Amino acid sequence: MINIQSKDNRIIKEVKKLKNKKYRDKEGLYLVEGPNLIEEALKNGVQIQSLLISPSYKDKDFSYLDNSYLVEDELFKEISDTVNSQGILAIVAKKNFSGELKPKDNILVLDRLQDPGNMGTIIRTADAAGYGLIVSIKGSCDIYSEKVVRSAAGSLFRMPIVEGLSYEELGELVKGKHLVVSDLQASEFYYEANLKEDIALVIGNEGNGISDEIRQMADMRVKLPMIGNIESLNAAVAAGILMYESIRK
């Protein structure tokens, strides 16, 4: 294992660059921190380009991996994204979507979602609810930011993902699917609609909801029951209710 002591080391410089979305997009790489997430990445065939370990790390043994580096504790703190670092971090490669879906798979569309916690939670829920693909529209927060990676809790390594689509590109991708949006003015409650399969479910921006462009494309409009003066739910909560309807059906 190679020992790294200088902040000018090329691996340290690369980690710092990968905290920037533009560099992640350019290189097709992102950061994963913590032994559990790294273990999940390996289980799901994610390519580990470099593994950085601090001397104080005492958890699961990954020393068998190639391209492992020992990083002095103080230097590791500089590159860690967490307050109480677990002392292990990996540079990993993004998985490319093959372009193939199983027949009748459901698709989740994230329309300019901004909160990383919501994003990660929704990805995790889509994985649990058996969705086949996640699509993010341009203007959404970066799916591969460290906060999203943590909150997705390993689901990011399993779910096929397509990032940064325009509305026109979305229209092409979801041809043959029923595009579903939530709408307070809809005549049908979500549990009255058929959301079991072959749908593209849209989750909108936390503040502004679903864009007019997507609303105009929608094949189905459904609503969630609201009692009292509540007009909307947290995006991740609403997404969970709507996605799990496919399992209930």
Side-chain angles (χ1 to χ4, degrees):
M1 187 180 292
I2 300 171
N3 193 0
I4 297 178
Q5 296 179 319
S6 171
K7 64 181 180 181
D8 294 323
N9 180 277
R10 73 170 180 85
I11 301 294
I12 299 299
K13 287 182 176 180
E14 183 170 34
V15 170
K16 290 180 178 179
K17 287 179 181 177
L18 285 170
K19 294 182 181 293
N20 183 287
K21 181 183 185 306
K22 287 185 178 179
Y23 192 77
R24 290 195 292 269
D25 290 345
K26 177 186 173 185
E27 299 298 323
L29 302 169
Y30 62 106
L31 301 173
V32 173
E33 189 166 352
N36 292 335
L37 280 179
I38 291 170
E39 186 173 51
E40 280 296 311
L42 289 167
K43 283 180 182 177
N44 288 279
V46 175
Q47 180 188 348
I48 306 287
Q49 188 187 68
S50 301
L51 185 71
L52 288 71
I53 304 172
S54 73
S56 58
Y57 174 75
K58 304 297 181 187
D59 210 319
K60 297 180 177 77
D61 183 18
F62 296 100
S63 60
Y64 63 91
L65 294 174
D66 294 333
N67 300 322
S68 296
Y69 301 87
L70 187 67
V71 180
E72 295 301 316
D73 284 334
E74 288 305 311
L75 185 54
F76 196 95
K77 287 178 184 177
E78 289 185 25
I79 59 174
S80 173
D81 192 55
T82 58
V83 176
N84 298 308
S85 172
Q86 293 175 280
I88 187 166
L89 180 152
I91 299 174
V92 306
K94 294 181 182 181
K95 279 186 170 180
N96 293 321
F97 173 54
S98 66
E100 294 183 6
L101 283 169
K102 293 178 184 176
K104 299 186 178 181
D105 261 355
N106 287 341
I107 297 173
L108 180 68
V109 180
L110 304 175
D111 182 19
R112 301 161 300 124
L113 210 67
Q114 294 300 304
D115 183 83
N118 279 339
M119 177 80 83
T121 300
I122 289 170
I123 291 170
R124 186 177 182 182
T125 307
D127 184 15
Y131 269 56
L133 176 67
I134 293 174
V135 177
S136 75
I137 299 298
K138 285 179 183 176
S140 301
C141 71
D142 183 19
I143 286 177
Y144 295 97
S145 72
E146 290 171 87
K147 288 182 179 179
V148 174
V149 172
R150 282 199 303 275
S151 59
S155 290
L156 191 62
F157 312 133
R158 292 183 287 273
M159 290 299 299
I161 289 169
V162 177
E163 303 177 83
L165 264 61
S166 66
Y167 295 122
E168 292 77 13
E169 290 169 328
L170 174 66
E172 287 297 314
L173 182 65
V174 301
K175 274 184 178 176
K177 301 287 183 185
H178 300 292
L179 190 67
V180 181
V181 301
S182 60
D183 187 342
L184 285 173
Q185 306 306 315
S187 59
E188 192 174 32
F189 287 110
Y190 76 93
Y191 50 76
E192 297 171 327
N194 183 5
L195 305 183
K196 181 179 179 181
E197 59 191 18
D198 229 14
I199 67 167
L201 174 65
V202 184
I203 303 300
N205 174 272
E206 291 89 345
N208 300 312
I210 295 167
S211 65
D212 291 338
E213 289 89 343
I214 288 184
R215 286 192 184 279
Q216 290 171 10
M217 294 163 57
D219 302 299
M220 298 170 61
R221 289 177 170 80
V222 298
K223 62 183 177 181
L224 291 147
M226 297 288 173
I227 297 172
N229 295 320
I230 300 297
E231 293 185 355
S232 65
L233 296 176
N234 168 272
V237 173
I241 293 169
L242 293 168
M243 283 190 283
Y244 260 83
E245 180 65 8
S246 67
I247 294 176
R248 191 188 75 81
K249 288 287 187 181

